[in-house]
Amino acid sequence: MVAMKTSTSRTTPNTNSQTLFQTATKLIPGGVNSPARAWRSVGGTPLFFESGQGSRITDADGNSYIDYVCSWGPLILGHSHPDIVQAAQTATAKGASFGAPTQYEIEAAQLIVDAVPSIEMVRFVNSGTEATMSAMRLARAATGRDMILKFDGGYHGHDDALLVRAGSGLATSGIADSAGVNPKLAQDTIVAPYNDLDAIERIFETHPERIACVIIEPIAGNMGVVPADPEFLAGLRRITSDDGCLLIFDEVISGFRAAYGGAQEIYGILPDITCLGKIIGGGFPVGAYGASTELMSHVAPLGSMYQAGTLSGNPVAMAAGAETIRQLQSPDTYTRLSKKTTQLANGLQQILTESETPATINHTTGMLTLFFGVDSVTDMTTASTNNHEQFKTFFHKMLQNGIYLPPSPYEAWFISLAHTTQDINQTLQAARKSL
Ligand code: HOZ
């Protein structure tokens, strides 16, 4: 059992984080290796972290926080789970990388094939970006078509063709679309509003048999948490099948989180290709794309769609990921995670109501977003009417009270199995004070 500290507070100023950040900004663009970490959307100096244990993290100045970032999703078991640490240490001691197959890859692949309803074969890569980029290439290879359709606010990594109206990372930085994207690639990308089936019907009427794939987060996590409407997702499945267009579910966030078999298990709707990442690496860099054996036979060396990587299927990531998945197999895992999430969401809702704060909370198992100043959020248009200033103030007050939230109003808060009832009560107390 992981020893848990029972209190969190910000007892010392963040002097060390400030010094580290100043040095980092001279060496790394913006001082960070991923823009959301720079806190541009909430202001202030990003905290540097030293360690994490269970639901708690400790910054470079020794302050402890209850963590709702959880490495942006991978840490469903919490920080430094002893069995994951052990799995990674054992694999590392045997050899960190071979650039040749190891048994760990088979174990991880078998677990994924058994868990995810639509996957018969899986290829491991090193990030979610690589997974979606490769899935798209596979769709183009299999259909012989060029166009792709994505959704406004859907983030699928930073591949050129997908970096169009891509939700949180860009919205947080105040950037509409990235500079440097090859316009020739982006011009084959159609963007549709999320949860709007009429729009999809019109697009397919305009471009019949021309779109290679539709890529969607069935539970969006990068415009804040926005679950797809079941009828919308069913309609999307029907329209794409009728047209011969492939449907890609980006389950990098929802995979093994919303349910063991991902969002596709919850909705009972099977995509043609699934992208995974985060949880399946147990906190180490990973991504994967999987599909039917027939579709995956287009991938080299079986077929002519080339995709490769020196560290793909890295044994340390495979060992940590496989152990994480095994830990999730206990029968009450998702009931417990769902209960924790609901406890947090309902508690926050009650506080918002009592304090007469206009806001809405979207949640699904293991993730939630609190949108200030909005009645309901169903797409990027409604998400972007949230009150940024209110979130900014709330973020810093929560931080003062020992709660580390994602530093952007467009992100999901991640709840892990290590978050205890006491953690959630403490979070609610902090929210009550902050509001
Ligand atoms: N992909 C995250 C934004 N939705 C940011 C990840 C990170 O900064 O680590």
Side-chain angles (χ1 to χ4, degrees):
M1 205 38 208
V2 177
M4 298 276 187
K5 284 187 190 174
T6 50
S7 68
T8 47
S9 61
R10 197 156 163 183
T11 50
T12 54
N14 54 348
T15 324
N16 290 342
S17 281
Q18 283 177 17
T19 309
L20 289 166
F21 188 57
Q22 270 168 20
T23 310
T25 51
K26 293 182 192 123
L27 301 166
I28 302 169
V32 290
N33 285 304
S34 189
R37 301 177 196 179
W39 287 24
R40 292 281 166 102
S41 162
V42 290
T45 305
L47 296 179
F48 277 61
F49 287 98
E50 293 254 324
S51 63
Q53 192 74 65
S55 60
R56 315 265 165 154
I57 45 177
T58 303
D59 72 13
D61 292 276
N63 298 305
S64 167
Y65 306 84
I66 298 175
D67 180 22
Y68 287 99
V69 175
C70 292
S71 187
W72 304 90
L75 302 183
I76 193 164
L77 303 175
H79 292 265
S80 309
H81 187 287
D83 294 336
I84 308 307
V85 172
Q86 182 64 59
Q89 280 176 343
T90 305
T92 312
K94 287 184 180 172
S97 181
F98 298 96
T102 67
Q103 199 173 322
Y104 289 121
E105 291 156 77
I106 302 175
E107 283 170 32
Q110 188 67 61
L111 284 160
I112 288 172
V113 166
D114 290 346
V116 184
S118 65
I119 297 185
E120 290 175 353
M121 253 192 190
V122 61
R123 169 59 68 80
F124 289 105
V125 290
N126 291 303
S127 66
T129 294
E130 270 188 75
T132 56
M133 184 183 80
S134 309
M136 248 182 355
R137 187 178 300 154
L138 173 57
R140 285 177 165 141
T143 60
R145 305 176 184 177
D146 288 336
M147 295 175 89
I148 64 152
L149 192 154
K150 75 174 285 288
F151 291 91
D152 187 9
Y155 178 70
H156 310 284
H158 57 88
D159 176 67
D160 272 10
L162 293 168
L163 212 46
V164 186
R165 303 200 55 84
S168 175
L170 295 163
T172 297
S173 314
I175 300 169
D177 291 316
S178 171
V181 165
N182 183 341
K184 291 186 195 123
L185 289 176
Q187 80 192 7
D188 275 337
T189 304
I190 304 170
V191 181
Y194 197 74
N195 273 330
D196 182 346
L197 200 56
D198 291 344
I200 299 296
E201 271 162 1
R202 282 196 302 275
I203 289 167
F204 275 88
E205 274 162 26
T206 313
H207 306 283
E209 295 180 22
R210 290 202 53 213
I211 303 170
C213 60
V214 172
I215 184 164
I216 183 168
E217 296 169 271
I219 298 172
N222 289 283
M223 47 177 134
V225 174
V226 184
D229 179 71
E231 280 175 30
F232 167 73
L233 214 51
L236 192 58
R237 177 65 283 184
R238 177 179 42 78
I239 292 168
T240 48
S241 295
D242 290 351
D243 181 81
C245 164
L246 299 182
L247 180 60
I248 303 176
F249 277 4
D250 179 345
E251 297 229 45
V252 169
I253 291 179
S254 56
F256 291 96
R257 173 168 291 278
Y260 188 66
Q264 57 196 268
E265 178 188 303
I266 299 176
Y267 285 91
I269 295 170
L270 301 191
D272 299 296
I273 308 175
T274 301
C275 298
L276 295 169
K278 301 201 189 259
I279 286 176
I280 63 160
F284 291 85
V286 84
Y289 61 104
S292 65
T293 305
E294 189 191 343
L295 258 183
M296 292 304 277
S297 66
H298 289 274
V299 180
L302 291 181
S304 56
M305 186 224 116
Y306 188 76
Q307 175 273 308
T310 298
L311 292 171
S312 295
N314 172 264
V316 183
M318 295 293 101
E323 185 53 35
T324 302
I325 296 175
R326 275 192 289 268
Q327 296 275 336
L328 297 174
Q329 286 172 342
S330 89
D332 65 341
T333 296
Y334 290 91
T335 319
R336 282 195 292 133
L337 191 58
S338 167
K339 220 168 133 190
K340 290 171 197 289
T341 316
T342 309
Q343 191 193 342
L344 181 59
N346 289 351
L348 286 169
Q349 187 56 63
Q350 196 182 333
I351 294 164
L352 291 166
T353 308
E354 281 165 15
S355 60
E356 295 180 15
T357 309
T360 195
I361 298 169
N362 283 359
H363 70 96
T364 186
T365 302
M367 53 202 272
L368 70 75
T369 300
L370 193 176
F371 298 93
F372 283 106
V374 204
D375 281 345
S376 135
V377 173
T378 55
D379 57 15
M380 188 61 187
T381 306
T382 41
S384 55
T385 60
N386 82 80
N387 187 327
H388 288 203
E389 279 309 310
Q390 213 168 352
F391 178 81
K392 191 171 162 178
T393 308
F394 182 68
F395 170 86
H396 284 287
K397 285 191 178 170
M398 289 295 273
L399 200 64
Q400 285 298 334
N401 285 295
I403 312 296
Y404 185 68
L405 300 178
S408 159
Y410 294 102
E411 296 288 355
W413 307 12
F414 291 103
I415 297 104
S416 80
L417 289 156
H419 285 84
T420 61
T421 301
Q422 193 189 350
D423 289 333
I424 292 168
N425 286 338
Q426 204 172 321
T427 307
L428 293 174
Q429 257 174 35
R432 198 177 292 278
K433 271 201 216 166
S434 303
L435 286 169

